[in-house]
Amino acid sequence: MFFRFMGKKELGELSLLDIIVSLMIAELAVIAIEDPNVSMARGLAPIFLLIFIQVTLTFISLKNQKFRDMIEGRPIMIIENGKMNQMNMRKQRYNIDDVLFQLREKGISDIREVDYAMLERSGNLSIFKKDETTSLFTLPLIQDGEIQDEHLLIIKKTKEWLLSELSKMGYQCTKNIFYCSYMKGQFFIEERDQKQTKA
């Protein structure tokens, strides 16, 4: 029942917060079952309170990217332009053995084959080989109306360039853009739903 409230994405990938709340709910349920002096209402009340808090936090994270990044984290660049980003690795407590292990899992024997590698929220490493980068590698420049400054740095573009290009296409406000990416000199833009824009 808890996971039905959380939405289908939670069935495939649980965040740390979801796991903690799940364990707390399980513990509360055990206490309510084992103690005959606890009424059903008293036993279920804290469980439903936790579910309500979790659903509320999920709704806020859906509407606010900064809050979502704070709660769930965000993808981190581990290999950039063929070189390991040691600062990001230290921040994520991700060592060279972790990198090499995941490269071997993807059938890559030499780190020199990799142009970019990104550590996803799930802990998996998304790897882009040097001969694949130009055809496959793309990053969102705008998500939920928010410009992704670090992604602009990776593709060696500026915020001013992005705003100028969007203006040429008739987009004066990034808040109305749900998703924007750039690949092979072309933009892919998806606008926000009108309901979201009004909200």
Side-chain angles (χ1 to χ4, degrees):
M1 182 182 71
F2 170 69
F3 294 112
R4 290 189 181 277
F5 279 111
M6 293 309 306
K8 290 189 176 179
K9 89 170 183 75
E10 301 297 330
L11 295 174
E13 182 181 327
L14 295 175
S15 69
L16 180 61
L17 182 62
D18 300 322
I19 294 171
I20 292 170
V21 171
S22 301
L23 292 173
M24 289 176 67
I25 288 175
E27 185 67 25
L28 287 170
V30 169
I31 292 171
I33 291 170
E34 289 183 343
D35 191 347
N37 296 321
V38 176
S39 65
M40 182 174 289
R42 285 185 61 191
L44 291 177
I47 293 175
F48 280 109
L49 178 61
L50 279 175
I51 292 175
F52 173 77
I53 292 171
Q54 180 65 358
V55 171
T56 303
L57 291 176
T58 302
F59 180 78
I60 294 171
S61 69
L62 181 67
K63 296 290 186 180
N64 189 307
Q65 184 187 338
K66 291 179 181 178
F67 183 80
R68 181 166 65 247
D69 292 342
M70 182 180 69
I71 295 296
E72 299 180 6
R74 63 183 306 152
I76 301 293
M77 196 65 71
I78 296 298
I79 299 177
E80 190 173 345
N81 291 321
K83 295 183 179 180
M84 284 184 280
N85 190 319
Q86 296 179 38
M87 183 181 295
N88 284 347
M89 289 173 66
R90 283 193 295 270
K91 286 179 181 177
Q92 299 301 312
R93 299 173 184 82
Y94 202 74
N95 60 51
I96 184 66
D97 290 328
D98 297 325
V99 176
L100 296 176
F101 172 72
Q102 293 218 36
L103 290 180
R104 289 194 297 272
E105 280 194 323
K106 300 288 176 68
I108 299 171
S109 58
D110 193 336
I111 200 167
R112 289 174 293 184
E113 297 177 42
V114 180
D115 201 4
Y116 290 91
M118 185 172 289
L119 185 63
E120 304 291 351
R121 292 172 178 174
S122 63
N124 292 323
L125 201 64
S126 295
I127 298 165
F128 301 89
K129 294 183 180 180
K130 288 184 177 179
D131 57 347
E132 295 176 344
T133 301
T134 54
S135 59
L136 294 177
F137 188 67
T138 184
L139 289 169
L141 302 183
I142 297 175
Q143 282 182 227
D144 290 339
E146 298 287 339
I147 295 175
Q148 309 299 302
D149 295 312
E150 67 274 21
H151 294 173
L152 284 168
L153 286 173
I154 291 169
I155 66 169
K156 298 176 176 62
K157 301 291 185 182
T158 64
K159 185 176 180 179
E160 290 71 23
W161 167 84
L162 177 61
L163 293 173
S164 175
E165 292 298 313
L166 292 174
S167 180
K168 291 176 187 176
M169 293 182 286
Y171 296 97
Q172 305 301 325
C173 181
T174 60
K175 296 296 181 186
N176 297 326
I177 298 175
F178 183 68
Y179 177 84
C180 169
S181 63
Y182 181 75
M183 188 182 219
K184 292 184 177 180
Q186 293 186 330
F187 283 92
F188 172 78
I189 297 174
E190 187 170 332
E191 297 181 19
R192 279 183 184 274
D193 292 338
Q194 289 300 317
K195 290 180 181 178
Q196 287 188 325
T197 305
K198 290 176 182 177

